[in-house]
Amino acid sequence: MPTLRAPLVTLLVTALLGLGTASLPSEPHLTPAASYLPRLAVQGRAPTAAVLVQSSAAGPGSFRSTGPGIRYADRFRAGSITKTFVATVVLQLAHEGRLRLSDRVERYLPGLIRGHGNDGRRITLRALLSHTSGLYDYTDDGFARPLSALAAIRTATSHRPASRPGLFTYSNTDYAVLGLVVQRVTGHGYATEIRRRVIAPLHLTGTSLPGARTTLPAPHGRGYSRDPAGGGLTDATELDPRTAGAAGELISTLADLNRFYAALLGGRLLPPAQLAALLNTAAAQGDYGLGIYPERLACGVTVWGHNGRIAGSYVRTAASRDGGHIMTYRIDTDILSHADTLEPALLEAEFCPARTDHGP
């Protein structure tokens, strides 16, 4: 599994309110992932963890939370899961013939990617989608807090490329650029196109792109940023999402994310050719598709989805290839201790049928 999938932890945040309690009518069964959930709180040091699992074989979704901090209907910041929404729009535009994935950035944004070894004449839209552009990740600049895509791209191009084009190097800058490409092609901002093409058709009533709004829609709980050194928690419920933009500003719910990925993988949002392109990991040497990535579990099962990390929130969606079995979990902080072992174990608990060690 590639590293630094959603490195938007450095967002400038302010503090303030939110409230959460965990309640939902009793579910017909306790899923393996739900049985594993307490480990995220105990070993992962998450204030609260919650999971929603849906399967065509299991009927209604099963929601569980480790405590009162996360409710079923809570809105939360989904971070880099925004990228799958943006990629879906770009691929729909490709199907409509309004752009080609082989097009160079220069065609749509002439002169924007230049300087310090950066050159938009050599970077394709496919390279942006697959994180193989080599562009420096603007969130790695500890001094910059860009509040627009143009400012983010200027920050990135003030640095030399992070890698040579063609190598997989996760960069939020790629999707900042794609957001501007969508605007140039359609005449509308990427948020407008996501609402029209994805949110409205799928009736994702808990999903929004806040723009400059610093607060979360109700209902919502609190989000906390953990100090990596001292471990202390700071309220990060409010923040300026413009720093994340097309790379990570999305707000959503557990149920909406499950519905979105089920529809995407089930072929309801993209025709077969574009869905195949979405899942083609060749450009990124098997690490990443186009706004989505695979993870091969120890039992040999491969799940598809994305994660999102932003100040105060971490979320991960994983699904079977056809979207029929899908799980989204989240914690109300941006750092999960022992994530390299806890998250794969949680996925294996749910998706590996032979696994029996699900208990806390």
Side-chain angles (χ1 to χ4, degrees):
M1 145 178 156
T3 58
L4 295 179
R5 270 274 151 56
L8 287 168
V9 210
T10 56
L11 295 179
L12 182 63
V13 296
T14 59
L16 218 48
L17 55 141
L19 182 63
T21 59
S23 62
L24 198 67
S26 60
E27 300 294 346
H29 69 290
L30 191 64
T31 68
S35 301
Y36 190 90
L37 207 59
R39 294 189 183 186
L40 301 185
V42 177
Q43 299 173 29
R45 301 177 67 202
T48 307
V51 65
L52 179 65
V53 177
Q54 290 175 283
S55 173
S56 54
S62 177
F63 170 80
R64 285 293 185 276
S65 174
T66 61
I70 301 176
R71 299 168 294 188
Y72 174 82
D74 276 352
R75 275 70 167 165
F76 55 87
R77 302 188 193 279
S80 282
I81 282 180
T82 309
K83 293 178 174 68
T84 317
F85 284 72
V86 172
T88 300
V89 169
V90 172
L91 287 165
Q92 288 180 350
L93 292 170
H95 170 66
E96 295 163 10
R98 302 173 71 176
L99 55 78
R100 295 175 301 178
L101 301 188
S102 59
D103 289 341
R104 309 286 169 165
V105 174
E106 186 75 7
R107 175 174 179 176
Y108 303 99
L109 305 169
L112 181 61
I113 310 294
R114 294 289 175 85
H116 296 93
N118 301 285
D119 191 346
R121 295 169 296 186
R122 296 187 297 167
I123 298 172
T124 65
L125 302 188
R126 186 185 299 276
L128 296 174
L129 288 163
S130 61
H131 293 297
T132 56
S133 71
L135 289 172
Y136 176 87
D137 188 338
Y138 71 89
T139 68
D140 288 342
D141 186 318
F143 299 99
R145 292 292 184 270
L147 296 181
S148 71
L150 286 174
I153 294 163
R154 291 190 191 104
T155 296
T157 55
S158 71
H159 297 266
R160 292 196 60 78
S163 66
R164 64 176 177 81
L167 291 181
F168 173 73
T169 306
Y170 190 95
S171 175
N172 288 291
T173 306
D174 292 332
Y175 279 74
V177 177
L178 286 167
L180 292 180
V181 170
V182 169
Q183 183 169 357
R184 179 61 58 91
V185 170
T186 66
H188 306 118
Y190 68 87
T192 298
E193 291 298 316
I194 288 173
R195 292 185 195 104
R196 183 173 73 85
R197 294 169 176 270
V198 180
I199 293 175
L202 295 182
H203 306 289
L204 305 181
T205 56
T207 301
S208 60
L209 293 116
R213 176 178 171 173
T214 60
T215 57
L216 287 167
H220 67 82
R222 285 188 169 136
Y224 303 94
S225 277
R226 185 180 296 281
D227 180 352
L233 294 174
T234 302
D235 193 309
T237 308
E238 293 190 5
L239 57 80
D240 193 328
R242 290 176 295 176
T243 305
E249 73 160 295
L250 192 80
I251 291 170
S252 195
T253 67
L254 295 172
D256 276 7
L257 292 182
N258 277 4
R259 187 178 303 119
F260 165 65
Y261 280 99
L264 179 62
L265 293 168
R268 291 174 52 196
L269 292 172
L270 295 174
Q274 280 67 46
L275 182 57
L278 179 90
L279 301 175
N280 188 336
T281 64
Q285 302 84 47
D287 284 331
Y288 199 88
L290 305 184
I292 195 170
Y293 64 86
E295 183 166 349
R296 185 174 175 83
L297 306 179
C299 61
V301 170
T302 296
V303 293
W304 290 85
H306 212 290
N307 67 355
R309 187 189 311 279
I310 194 168
S313 180
Y314 178 80
V315 59
R316 170 75 158 98
T317 298
S320 58
R321 166 59 186 81
D322 63 358
H325 184 184
I326 189 162
M327 178 195 80
T328 298
Y329 89 89
R330 62 169 291 236
I331 58 175
D332 51 1
T333 185
D334 39 51
I335 296 179
L336 178 69
S337 298
H338 308 294
D340 288 348
T341 55
L342 284 176
E343 182 167 284
L346 175 66
L347 299 181
E348 288 163 15
E350 183 59 39
F351 290 97
C352 293
R355 184 181 171 100
T356 58
D357 178 21
H358 304 317

